[in-house]
Amino acid sequence: MTVISSNLLIDLVTNKKSTLQLEKSEWCDVVALSRQLGFLPFLYQISREENTLTLMPMSVASQLKSAYYELLKQHDSINWHLLQLRKNNPADLKITLLKGAAYIMAGKKNAKYRLLSDIDLLVEKNFLDDAEFWLFINGFAVSVSDEYDDYYYRQWMHELPPFVNSKSGLVVDLHHNLLPISSKRHINASLIVDNGVELEQNLIVPNDEDLIIHSAVHLIQDSVFNRSLRDLCDQYWLLKDFIEQNGTSASLLERAKSLSLGIDLAKSLSLMSEVLGRSLSTEELAFVGQMLRRKRLWIVEKKCYVIMLHQPVVSEWKVKHHAASLYLFVKSHLIKMPIKLLIKHAVIKSYKRIIGLFKKQEKSL
């Protein structure tokens, strides 16, 4: 497989190429990368729209159909769990859905392309204890047993350790903010909650501007890069629908500035232009220039993002992919926490990993 598989997938996302134009060997590459990205339902949907399912290799069509049925089953499961959580909400908590769960409940176009690894929920920090108890009585338990990891999540991060349902295995990430407490761009979660759209009593999704901004924040500040292209495409589709409805992105740009998250959105817009070929409007160009004019390392950072957005499957990463991933990993952690805290955390985690390896070796002797 070569980097061309990502180019083919990008061409399909941006409607520059039809599924009818893909050769059998190209299908193999695109399917392998799409499986890593969680993009197989997207391939199924566009193949169905273009009536090419019967024309492609049978082995490919069966994988796409399987992914589509998996998506339907997963979305049904998420809807069922959210219904149960709403029924068993003893403290009348205001729950805000984030990312994939928000796209599904808000009926966003990209939801029909989206396989989820978990449900992301946001509550204001004052209600975190109530929310943790609420998840507990609904069959969810914290999956982290390590005392340091549990302390690290609760003291410094924007979310608690993952919760896992004891019966279904569904994972819930309980957030109290979009960004870690130690982050340079930490904001008040109430700014998102108070401006959200209440779908049902106490069930909220962020407004359209905040959905796009959070997706940009997740892309730019995340420390895992094997699905970066999916996150950028989420923003691409959300922004496309947003401009169709509003005619301009002006309110989005202003909202990002008011949340002090303009840098993340500007970087994401720049990557959308570079990788997906989306033309920036005059006001978007001015916004990107204003936000990034003093970011001297953006040239290097952007190059690293472009490498990761054009990556092959992880097993075929080259030196440049590992180097770019490491650079972005360190950069994201420097945004999330002060250098002293980062060094302390890295030393503790390294020590615990080494001790764990020794214990593992002793048990095998």
Side-chain angles (χ1 to χ4, degrees):
M1 183 185 297
T2 64
V3 176
I4 196 172
S5 57
S6 62
N7 292 336
L8 287 170
L9 192 52
I10 288 167
D11 285 346
L12 291 172
V13 169
T14 55
N15 299 315
K16 293 177 183 175
K17 189 179 283 288
S18 163
T19 53
L20 193 60
Q21 297 173 277
L22 296 187
E23 301 292 336
K24 184 174 181 179
S25 60
E26 292 176 329
W27 268 118
C28 292
D29 287 353
V30 169
V31 165
L33 181 60
S34 295
R35 186 176 297 283
Q36 174 181 301
L37 296 172
F39 244 32
L40 287 178
F42 164 71
L43 292 180
Y44 174 83
Q45 292 289 355
I46 60 170
S47 298
R48 189 169 69 170
E49 290 167 10
E50 295 175 351
N51 293 316
T52 56
L53 281 167
T54 56
L55 303 176
M56 65 180 63
M58 190 178 296
S59 59
V60 173
S62 64
Q63 289 186 69
L64 301 193
K65 288 177 183 177
S66 176
Y68 173 66
Y69 292 130
E70 181 186 354
L71 178 141
L72 292 179
K73 182 179 178 181
Q74 187 184 77
H75 286 200
D76 283 344
S77 174
I78 288 168
N79 285 324
W80 184 86
H81 278 91
L82 288 174
L83 176 62
Q84 300 308 308
L85 287 169
R86 291 201 304 276
K87 284 181 178 178
N88 302 316
N89 188 349
D92 264 353
L93 290 163
K94 281 190 175 182
I95 306 299
T96 302
L97 303 175
L98 298 175
K99 296 190 289 187
Y103 305 151
I104 292 170
M105 295 304 291
K108 296 301 179 184
K109 180 181 177 181
N110 61 321
K112 65 182 181 180
Y113 307 147
R114 198 65 150 72
L115 284 168
L116 277 64
S117 55
D118 53 34
I119 296 179
D120 293 281
L121 306 178
L122 173 71
V123 298
E124 294 186 61
K125 195 170 184 182
N126 296 344
F127 302 103
L128 208 49
D129 289 342
D130 290 336
E132 189 168 3
F133 176 70
W134 164 65
L135 287 175
F136 174 74
I137 63 174
N138 279 279
F140 290 85
V142 172
S143 61
V144 173
S145 57
D146 184 279
E147 288 185 11
Y148 173 75
D149 285 345
D150 188 72
Y151 168 81
Y152 171 75
Y153 269 100
R154 294 174 186 276
Q155 184 69 21
W156 298 113
M157 296 304 290
H158 55 303
E159 58 187 341
L160 295 186
F163 290 79
V164 180
N165 188 278
S166 57
K167 292 185 177 179
S168 67
L170 183 73
V171 178
V172 166
D173 284 342
L174 183 61
H175 297 245
H176 54 84
N177 209 291
L178 300 188
L179 297 162
I181 298 169
S182 56
S183 172
K184 297 174 182 177
R185 298 203 274 277
H186 178 75
I187 65 170
N188 190 332
S190 64
L191 296 172
I192 305 299
V193 176
D194 293 345
N195 282 276
V197 178
E198 191 166 28
L199 299 178
E200 297 180 26
Q201 186 176 8
N202 295 327
L203 184 68
I204 299 165
V205 295
N207 63 31
D208 290 345
E209 290 91 344
D210 290 349
L211 281 176
I212 297 170
I213 291 167
H214 184 216
S215 184
V217 168
H218 186 261
L219 172 66
I220 299 302
Q221 300 199 30
D222 197 14
S223 53
V224 180
F225 308 100
N226 62 330
R227 291 192 171 186
S228 298
L229 183 59
R230 185 197 69 177
D231 295 334
L232 188 67
C233 290
D234 271 338
Q235 294 162 63
Y236 176 78
W237 286 313
L238 289 169
L239 184 54
K240 187 177 180 181
D241 289 346
F242 181 85
I243 292 177
E244 284 178 2
Q245 293 172 17
N246 298 278
T248 175
S249 59
S251 63
L252 170 65
L253 306 182
E254 287 304 313
R255 178 63 171 166
K257 288 180 184 178
S258 71
L259 293 174
S260 299
L261 296 173
I263 292 172
D264 300 282
L265 181 60
K267 289 180 178 179
S268 186
L269 288 172
S270 180
L271 291 170
M272 232 181 279
S273 175
E274 176 79 20
V275 176
L276 302 180
R278 180 185 176 272
S279 299
L280 301 183
S281 66
T282 303
E283 56 193 353
E284 288 169 354
L285 282 169
F287 172 79
V288 170
Q290 178 189 358
M291 291 293 113
L292 302 181
R293 67 171 177 258
R294 295 182 180 178
K295 299 296 175 182
R296 296 176 182 175
L297 291 177
W298 170 235
I299 296 175
V300 178
E301 186 181 332
K302 183 177 182 179
K303 178 66 175 175
C304 291
Y305 275 116
V306 170
I307 289 171
M308 298 314 296
L309 289 164
H310 283 101
Q311 65 176 283
V313 291
V314 173
S315 62
E316 296 186 7
W317 277 15
K318 297 180 180 178
V319 172
K320 67 177 182 179
H321 299 107
H322 290 286
S325 176
L326 178 61
Y327 179 91
L328 295 175
F329 179 83
V330 173
K331 182 271 309 178
S332 70
H333 277 76
L334 287 173
I335 294 175
K336 292 175 184 176
M337 61 186 74
I339 185 66
K340 289 182 179 179
L341 178 60
L342 177 57
I343 292 172
K344 178 184 176 182
H345 177 60
V347 169
I348 292 173
K349 291 293 287 183
S350 298
Y351 172 77
K352 291 176 72 65
R353 190 172 289 114
I354 291 168
I355 294 299
L357 288 172
F358 275 122
K359 288 182 178 178
K360 195 173 183 180
Q361 287 181 344
E362 286 177 0
K363 286 182 180 179
S364 64
L365 294 175

